Amino acid sequence: MEEKKKGISLFGLIGMVVSSCIGSGVFALTGQLSQVASPGGALVAWLVVGIGFLLLALSLNNLVAKRPDLHGIFTYASEGFGPLAGFLSGWGYWLSAWLGNVAFATMMMSTVGYFYPDFLPGNTIPCILIASVVMWLLTLLVIRGVESASFLNAIVMVCKVASIGIFILFALFMFNAGVFTADFWGTLYNNAVAAGEYGATAVGLGGIGEQVMNCMIIMMWVFIGIEGAAVVSSRAEKKSDAGKATVIGLICLLVIYIGASVLPYGYLPYTEIAAMDKPAMLYVFDKMAPGWGGAFISIAIIISVLGSWLSFTILPAETTSEMAEHKLLPAGWGKLNDKGAPQFSLLLVAVCTQVFMIITIFSQDAYNFAFSMCTVAIVVTWALASAFQCKHSAEKKEWGQFAIGAIATVFLVVGCLYNGWSFLLLTCVGYIPGFFVFAAARKQQGVGLKKSEIIGMGVIAALGVASLIMVGMGIISI
């Protein structure tokens, strides 16, 4: 019998899975999915993505149990494939964290656009100015030592779950099966596009396979945070609870996400939802509950975004501090000020976020651009961790665990390359300055770069330069 020890309970672990993943993305899901998938296509996509993330989470849980000596998700890449792989994993995690802040900024300003339409679509110059002020205030708050604000997180969590729950209840009550099944697989819409009824520039949804693949990056975005829950679950009262919490937590998330994103298809035709401003949940609920619904969801979104933004301000700074401890970055990146905050890393993150906010002014769809970049960056980290799961399991001849890691890796790589190859190339640009920092860290240790590391960095840098050329040529759009 497994000895029970003091630690996080099963309920606490489930809460960790759910609270780590639910952020601002759930409020935009129904609008984003309606642009690329029919009701049937979205449901099939949720099934595929749910299985993929379950296997990823089980891989991480297995590594936490089998290699408790490794702390930080990037350490799996370092242990399995060397220092450069560890750097790529950690730097990708760092890029993802602060790129998420850009998505939060755009989401918050788009939501303000409900009250003041001039703020739509969320990336105008006034939007960037206001979002910049919020970003710098949050940065200064954390620099002064606000490393954990549990009361704020509790308030944010209640607002998120309560508002989403009320929305789902309304969607269930107003659900019309006739509306939901009218064009269940998108056939009617595809035929209408082919006949030119939506104009010459309209694009059809394609077959079910294409719809599922087009949903991948959108759905991956709302599962960011699953890796943090797996690491914390190692402190469970019973280690056997970790796997249970992962499965139950993911089922809870899928119920919430499917309810929030697919049930509205039974209230309004998905083609109508696709034409709404972002975030679509706001405008759908405004129709469901005239007079107060839009304002209710707007306030919930703003509170939710501010909470997530605070967390994602702390996260990248903590990541670089851990990387400095593992000598993947120069020691200065982990230096703490007199308040116990990594001031240098926080200021660097703020500057990077500010630059990217300005870039979104030129984006046709700033929120989609920001969250796609964020998601692709963290997929690098996830894929390297699941690949280490394969290597570790093969060495131990644990073929069941090997299969779990292999399928998770294929799921992540295929989804990223098919639906996010342009964002992956652009992410390579973000690695270029990091390579100089990595080289400085190696020099600081008195260790030169290996030939294989130089070649690897050269290939990634070349891909980054190529992506900028393709942006200039119009092949890649932002």
Side-chain angles (χ1 to χ4, degrees):
M1 181 180 293
E2 187 176 16
E3 183 181 352
K4 188 173 181 179
K5 62 180 181 180
K6 188 175 181 181
I8 304 174
S9 66
L10 175 61
F11 182 77
L13 289 172
I14 295 170
M16 178 63 68
V17 173
V18 175
S19 62
S20 295
C21 291
I22 293 181
S24 65
V26 64
F27 297 101
L29 267 177
T30 189
Q32 292 176 294
L33 295 182
S34 64
Q35 294 175 348
V36 297
S38 62
L43 286 173
V44 174
W46 278 122
L47 176 63
V48 172
V49 170
I51 293 173
F53 272 96
L54 175 61
L55 296 177
L56 172 63
L58 291 176
S59 296
L60 294 174
N61 278 326
N62 181 60
L63 292 175
V64 167
K66 301 290 178 58
R67 293 300 306 268
D69 55 310
L70 300 178
H71 303 285
I73 192 169
F74 61 87
T75 59
Y76 299 138
S78 292
E79 179 71 12
F81 312 108
L84 178 60
F87 168 78
L88 293 176
S89 176
W91 195 260
Y93 199 75
W94 178 76
L95 286 173
S96 175
W98 65 260
L99 284 168
N101 291 340
V102 181
F104 296 146
T106 308
M107 168 69 81
M108 188 173 72
M109 292 298 100
S110 296
T111 303
V112 173
Y114 172 78
F115 302 102
Y116 304 101
D118 290 342
F119 278 72
L120 292 171
N123 62 329
T124 61
I125 292 177
C127 289
I128 300 305
L129 290 174
I130 294 174
S132 298
V133 171
V134 174
M135 183 268 295
W136 281 105
L137 286 175
L138 289 173
T139 301
L140 293 175
L141 188 66
V142 177
I143 286 176
R144 291 181 62 84
V146 183
E147 298 178 6
S148 175
S150 57
F151 68 100
L152 286 177
N153 289 331
I155 292 172
V156 168
M157 194 61 210
V158 169
C159 289
K160 284 191 287 191
V161 173
S163 58
I164 295 167
I166 291 171
F167 176 81
I168 291 174
L169 287 175
F170 268 73
L172 277 170
F173 181 76
M174 298 182 175
F175 186 84
N176 185 320
V179 175
F180 187 72
T181 59
D183 188 17
F184 190 71
W185 298 111
T187 306
L188 297 178
Y189 178 77
N190 285 331
N191 291 340
V193 170
E197 294 180 21
Y198 284 91
T201 59
V203 179
L205 300 176
I208 296 304
E210 185 174 353
Q211 291 181 41
V212 170
M213 294 306 297
N214 288 336
C215 290
M216 294 282 276
I217 293 295
I218 297 170
M219 292 180 175
M220 285 180 174
W221 159 241
V222 296
F223 283 103
I224 290 180
I226 197 71
E227 72 291 333
V231 173
V232 174
S233 67
S234 64
R235 304 203 312 261
E237 288 180 353
K238 296 190 297 181
K239 282 195 173 181
S240 59
D241 283 347
K244 295 177 186 176
T246 301
V247 174
I248 297 171
L250 279 173
I251 291 173
C252 291
L253 287 168
L254 285 169
V255 169
I256 292 170
Y257 290 156
I258 293 171
S261 63
V262 179
L263 282 177
Y265 289 176
Y267 174 67
L268 294 171
Y270 68 90
T271 51
E272 185 175 334
I273 296 174
M276 290 179 168
D277 289 321
K278 293 183 178 68
M281 180 189 285
L282 190 164
Y283 297 95
V284 171
F285 199 57
D286 196 33
K287 288 180 175 291
M288 290 180 175
W292 65 273
F296 173 79
I297 292 292
S298 296
I299 294 170
I301 292 173
I302 291 171
I303 293 173
S304 176
V305 167
L306 285 173
S308 298
W309 202 342
L310 176 61
S311 297
F312 272 62
T313 298
I314 299 169
L315 182 59
E318 289 183 342
T319 301
T320 52
S321 295
E322 291 178 358
M323 290 177 70
E325 290 178 11
H326 286 82
K327 305 188 185 307
L328 296 174
L329 294 176
W333 286 62
K335 187 177 180 180
L336 304 179
N337 63 13
D338 57 355
K339 301 290 184 179
Q343 183 169 318
F344 173 77
S345 293
L346 285 165
L347 290 174
L348 182 64
V349 165
V351 171
C352 291
T353 305
Q354 182 69 79
V355 170
F356 216 81
M357 279 185 186
I358 295 171
I359 292 174
T360 61
I361 294 175
F362 307 99
S363 175
Q364 297 175 350
D365 188 342
Y367 179 73
N368 182 70
F369 178 57
F371 91 77
S372 296
M373 290 288 291
C374 171
T375 304
V376 167
I378 203 169
V379 165
V380 174
T381 305
W382 286 338
L384 285 169
S386 60
F388 177 63
Q389 154 86 344
C390 294
K391 180 179 180 181
H392 180 269
S393 299
E395 290 172 349
K396 301 295 182 182
K397 300 189 185 310
E398 298 174 346
W399 301 115
Q401 290 293 340
F402 175 84
I404 289 173
I407 297 172
T409 304
V410 171
F411 160 74
L412 293 167
V413 172
V414 171
C416 181
L417 290 179
Y418 181 88
N419 197 230
W421 66 269
S422 59
F423 300 110
L424 183 60
L425 287 179
L426 287 171
T427 301
C428 291
V429 177
Y431 277 102
I432 295 175
F435 290 147
F436 293 98
V437 180
F438 175 67
R442 300 286 281 172
K443 184 178 180 180
Q444 193 176 77
Q445 301 167 55
V447 180
L449 293 172
K450 298 178 181 178
K451 185 177 180 180
S452 59
E453 292 175 335
I454 294 173
I455 293 173
M457 291 189 294
V459 170
I460 294 171
L463 291 173
V465 172
S467 72
L468 293 177
I469 294 173
M470 283 188 272
V471 170
M473 295 174 64
I475 298 174
I476 294 178
S477 60
I478 62 172

